[in-house]
Amino acid sequence: MSQGAPLVDSFGRTIDYVRVSVTDRCNLRCTYCMSEHMTFMPKSNLLSLDELDRICTAFVHRGVKHLRLTGGEPLVRRDFMTLVRALSRHLTSGALEELTLTTNGVRLAEFAGGLAEAGVKRINVSLDSLDRANFARITRGDELHRVLDGIAAAKEAGIRIKINAVALKNGNEKELPEMVRWAHGHGMDITLIETMPLGFIEEERSDQFLSLTDVRREMESYWTLSDLSDRTGGPARYVRVEETGGKLGFITPLTHNFCDTCQRVRLSCTGTLHMCLGQEISVDLRAPLRASPDDDLLHAAIGQAMATKPKAHDFLLPVSGAAPALSRHMSVTGG
Ligand code: SAM
Ligand code: SF4
């Protein structure tokens, strides 16, 4: 496989989007994502920033146009901005269209200026509640004020923000319309996400799961939701809320399959390339990366990985008492 060959899987989907988890650690412990006393990887297992750069660069050379840095919480990775600044050379050269990140926003105020300078134009901020006590309960951290400061700082720096909120039964169910109004009132799109059964958590997943089909139906009883044709190649379906003028996305991995147009893969912070968020299939890139100072082996492994990308995930609706569909947490794969 040549180093410049584009990445096409066996179903003809061109892979041009890579999510990169730069750490599995986090400064929050969201109840649907992590257990309260998480065991994180030994730091020695992590790819170095240089290694992350090498793999990302290999993907850019294979036609990847979108890189999203995530985690865990990307902004807790030491010297994170060194990686961002290094990768921004691909924006300057035009090889990369977009360098972006998904963050919980807690440390965003510190980073907003630097991110904007490095060419980051939009980011996703995860925010599940605007109520201080509820936010603290869901995330196990009393940090709402810092997230809101981070959002303000990013806007000030000229970065566009999309809010991601996981829809939680007995969690933020009642707040969702207010959150949509708030986001749209501040010029931000918002996407609601169904919980996915990834990794052990203390709570019963079936107690948390809220069907977005039901949420949407309820919203349609007081709002006009007009379908938009926007498809980012991602799993979200978008509508325009006519009353607020803003865009609202729904990510429904359990109630709708979104795999037919999937053009993404995920790199874990230890160099494992996950071919699908909802399947165990993965390819190790760390060994070929470390085996040789040039990138031939790495490119060969990336090329071979494409043939293993499955057609679709096989999440099932959560059943009370069932083990998670996958043992790994979203924070490992990179959400
Ligand atoms: N820490 C950053 C954040 O929260 O934005 C980035 C990583 S986090 C794993 C990425 C996204 O995954 C967040 O929007 C989070 O709400 C979502 N997420 C985490 N666990 C999830 C789960 N089990 N089901 C659905 N979404 C989940
Ligand atoms: Fe941390 Fe993001 Fe997971 Fe919450 S969703 S625990 S912020 S990685």
Side-chain angles (χ1 to χ4, degrees):
M1 181 76 66
S2 105
Q3 290 214 4
L7 301 172
V8 182
D9 76 359
S10 39
F11 302 96
R13 297 171 296 192
T14 300
I15 308 305
D16 69 354
Y17 181 121
V18 182
R19 286 194 176 207
V20 181
S21 173
V22 300
T23 175
D24 63 331
R25 286 161 199 261
C26 189
N27 43 5
L28 295 177
R29 295 283 183 282
C30 302
T31 51
Y32 54 82
C33 177
M34 292 194 181
S35 86
E36 188 164 8
H37 306 287
M38 278 290 280
T39 310
F40 295 107
M41 315 253 175
K43 283 196 178 151
S44 55
N45 282 10
L46 296 194
L47 295 179
S48 69
L49 295 176
D50 280 347
E51 289 173 328
L52 283 165
D53 181 281
R54 249 178 91 192
I55 297 185
C56 290
T57 299
F59 275 111
V60 171
H61 289 157
R62 301 297 285 272
V64 163
K65 299 288 179 210
H66 305 270
L67 282 178
R68 177 176 292 278
L69 305 177
T70 177
E73 172 49 35
L75 301 184
V76 303
R77 173 81 196 239
R78 186 185 298 208
D79 295 330
F80 174 71
M81 283 308 297
T82 306
L83 177 65
V84 173
R85 280 192 290 267
L87 291 174
S88 73
R89 72 188 183 281
H90 300 304
L91 292 171
T92 311
S93 76
L96 187 65
E97 281 174 19
E98 183 176 55
L99 178 60
T100 180
L101 75 152
T102 300
T103 171
N104 61 28
V106 172
R107 296 192 65 190
L108 186 54
E110 296 162 55
F111 286 84
L115 289 168
E117 264 169 41
V120 173
K121 298 218 160 15
R122 54 173 201 138
I123 58 180
N124 289 355
V125 177
S126 303
L127 176 60
D128 303 322
S129 175
L130 290 168
D131 175 82
R132 180 177 171 182
N134 204 26
F135 179 97
R137 198 184 60 75
I138 294 171
T139 64
R140 302 187 179 109
D142 185 13
E143 304 283 13
L144 176 63
H145 58 293
R146 291 177 70 192
V147 179
L148 296 178
D149 286 352
I151 290 172
K155 288 174 84 174
E156 182 68 29
I159 298 175
R160 271 195 298 137
I161 294 172
K162 178 164 78 72
I163 301 293
N164 280 344
V166 173
L168 297 163
K169 190 162 69 174
N170 311 315
N172 57 6
E173 197 170 355
K174 301 222 160 51
E175 274 191 72
L176 293 176
E178 182 48 36
M179 291 187 66
V180 173
R181 262 189 229 105
W182 170 81
H184 289 174
H186 287 81
M188 300 180 286
D189 296 339
I190 178 167
T191 294
L192 307 181
I193 306 171
E194 278 176 356
T195 54
M196 290 172 247
L198 297 172
F200 169 80
I201 55 169
E202 285 83 357
E203 291 185 23
E204 185 59 68
R205 290 220 182 253
S206 56
D207 292 344
Q208 295 181 332
F209 180 75
L210 178 62
S211 163
L212 288 181
T213 308
D214 297 342
V215 171
R216 182 174 173 157
R217 193 175 303 124
E218 197 210 305
M219 287 179 173
E220 278 170 337
S221 70
Y222 44 79
W223 283 336
T224 305
L225 306 182
S226 311
D227 281 316
L228 295 172
S229 56
D230 310 31
R231 287 294 301 273
T232 54
R237 298 286 185 277
Y238 292 99
V239 298
R240 168 92 45 213
V241 181
E242 297 301 341
E243 287 75 4
T244 62
K247 221 161 98 173
L248 168 62
F250 296 94
I251 298 185
T252 55
L254 298 182
T255 50
H256 290 103
N257 213 304
F258 54 71
C259 308
D260 50 335
T261 56
C262 178
Q263 39 46 306
R264 60 184 59 179
V265 291
R266 294 174 156 82
L267 181 74
S268 82
C269 53
T270 54
T272 303
L273 189 65
H274 292 277
M275 306 310 292
C276 171
L277 183 61
Q279 298 245 18
E280 296 285 5
I281 297 162
S282 64
V283 173
D284 174 44
L285 297 185
R286 188 173 57 179
L289 177 83
R290 290 186 177 170
S292 153
D294 68 44
D295 291 337
D296 290 353
L297 294 174
L298 175 62
H299 275 284
I302 291 174
Q304 283 155 13
M306 292 305 127
T308 69
K309 186 164 168 62
K311 187 162 187 216
H313 71 67
D314 53 8
F315 287 132
L316 295 172
L317 285 167
V319 176
S320 179
L326 293 180
S327 56
R328 60 172 198 254
H329 292 85
M330 182 87 128
S331 51
V332 174
T333 332

